[in-house]
Amino acid sequence: MGLQYVVAKRVFGFDKTKTEKYVAKSVGSGEVDFDKLCAKVSRIIGVHRKVVDLVAVGLVDIMTEEIDDGKTIALGDFGRFRPSFSGKSADKQEDVSASNIVRKRILFMPGKAFSRMLNNMSITRMAIPDADYTDSGKKSENTGSKPSESGENGQTGNPLG
């Protein structure tokens, strides 16, 4: 099925004229929880679901320890998990310290399998029955949104139009 999007109206703070613009906004198609994912993997590889659960939990435990040591975790075609942070700038070098760090995070860089999948993933405009609604829940001027025609690989030529 690929990704779906809707057209949303936005006003960007960096635009001094406060002009309304339209952007493509992705629409999720649901979530697969951990238990269901373990059950699916269990069926594919032919081991009990609890074994899959134990391996996954063990992997997360070890990854947590290694990332806490500042290491990048490379999981083959799956991808890499790398610790990182964002910080405040300072005018002088001596004014930069650990207290300037404002947010820690883990960056995920997809491996070959995910990169291939993303490159081939189709993107289509979601058809909304009856009327389009803005984020605030108010009806917009656009009514009767129709799905766009997909081009090569299912991607649309102009995702905003």
Side-chain angles (χ1 to χ4, degrees), residues 8-137:
K9 190 185 302 185
R10 294 277 191 264
V11 176
F12 295 101
F14 58 82
D15 184 1
K16 296 188 185 347
T17 63
K18 303 294 183 203
T19 307
E20 291 179 342
K21 309 241 183 207
Y22 295 89
V23 297
K25 179 181 170 187
S26 68
V27 178
S29 62
E31 184 176 285
V32 178
D33 68 15
F34 183 72
D35 288 336
K36 192 171 193 172
L37 193 61
C38 286
K40 285 184 168 195
V41 171
S42 162
R43 284 193 303 272
I44 289 171
I45 62 175
V47 298
H48 193 277
R49 193 196 66 76
K50 282 295 182 187
V51 173
V52 175
D53 179 76
L54 285 171
V55 170
V57 169
L59 180 64
V60 170
D61 287 347
I62 297 301
M63 288 176 64
T64 302
E65 287 177 20
E66 299 297 335
I67 290 172
D68 190 42
D69 287 341
K71 295 177 183 167
T72 297
I73 305 296
L75 293 176
D77 281 350
F78 188 83
R80 295 177 180 275
F81 294 83
R82 182 173 61 88
S84 183
F85 58 81
S86 300
K88 293 186 231 173
S89 63
D91 293 330
K92 294 186 251 170
Q93 182 176 351
E94 55 272 6
D95 292 339
V96 177
S97 67
S99 64
N100 291 66
I101 296 170
V102 294
R103 186 175 138 207
K104 295 178 254 183
R105 58 188 172 176
I106 297 173
L107 301 177
F108 173 68
M109 284 100 17
K112 290 179 183 176
F114 283 128
S115 294
R116 273 192 307 272
M117 179 266 309
L118 285 171
N119 287 333
N120 296 323
M121 181 182 281
S122 66
I123 301 174
T124 56
R125 187 168 177 172
M126 183 178 189
I128 300 176
D130 298 327
D132 287 343
Y133 288 88
T134 62
D135 290 339
S136 64

